[in-house]
Amino acid sequence: SPFAKKDVPQLLSFAQFHYAFAHVLPEAEVRAVYDAHVVPESRNVPASSLGQIGTVDFEKPRAPLLLVAGELDHIIPAKLNRKNQAAYRPSAGVTDFREFPGRTHYILAQQGWEEVSDFVQEWVGEKLA
């Protein structure tokens, strides 16, 4: 399994990439994206976030936070993003959530990515102005 060794860069198979990132895209498009952009990656980053370093203080004051989710995301489901939003305390700062229908984890590269980008830009303009 490519997830077995954390210390050795691993390459997702085409099938794993397709399922995790772009399962709603036509296979030919997924193949083109996979061939152009997928490279071996360290498994240390996601694995380390599961330990003490990945602990979130939901009450610590911070800047406004926007959680963006794709309705069809297999990696970070919208349900998990909603749960995270609910965990943040209002005293910590503004925490907003937006789910985009029909989107996967590949949300910023899928057709229509401009809708997501425009929403984020507008949100930043409102919250950080």
Side-chain angles (χ1 to χ4, degrees), residues 79-129:
K79 182 179 179 179
L80 177 57
N81 275 309
R82 274 192 228 96
K83 182 179 175 182
N84 287 335
Q85 180 200 20
Y88 280 100
R89 302 295 173 247
S91 61
V94 172
T95 307
D96 290 335
F97 171 79
R98 173 70 185 267
E99 180 178 340
F100 288 87
R103 306 301 173 115
T104 68
H105 199 70
Y106 199 58
I107 191 167
L108 290 177
Q110 283 181 263
Q111 183 178 359
W113 63 267
E114 299 89 349
E115 174 192 9
V116 180
S117 177
D118 290 347
F119 176 82
V120 171
Q121 184 176 5
E122 183 178 311
W123 184 90
V124 168
E126 287 176 11
K127 302 300 179 183
L128 302 180

Side-chain angles (χ1 to χ4, degrees), residues 23 29 34 36 58 60 78 86 91 106 119:
H23 54 280
E29 187 176 342
Y34 180 85
F58 292 102
K60 183 177 181 178
S91 61
Y106 199 58
F119 176 82

Side-chain angles (χ1 to χ4, degrees), residues 53-74:
I53 197 168
T55 302
V56 176
D57 182 348
F58 292 102
E59 296 182 17
K60 183 177 181 178
R62 55 166 172 72
L65 174 64
L66 172 62
L67 301 171
V68 174
E71 171 194 23
L72 305 174
D73 191 332
H74 286 165

Side-chain angles (χ1 to χ4, degrees), residues 19-80:
Y19 173 82
F21 290 90
H23 54 280
V24 300
L25 301 178
E27 189 167 335
E29 187 176 342
V30 177
R31 174 56 70 184
V33 169
Y34 180 85
D35 291 344
H37 300 289
V38 176
V39 296
E41 63 176 319
S42 169
R43 302 311 297 162
N44 287 333
V45 174
S48 67
S49 67
L50 299 175
Q52 180 69 22
I53 197 168
T55 302
V56 176
D57 182 348
F58 292 102
E59 296 182 17
K60 183 177 181 178
R62 55 166 172 72
L65 174 64
L66 172 62
L67 301 171
V68 174
E71 171 194 23
L72 305 174
D73 191 332
H74 286 165
I75 303 288
I76 309 292
K79 182 179 179 179
L80 177 57

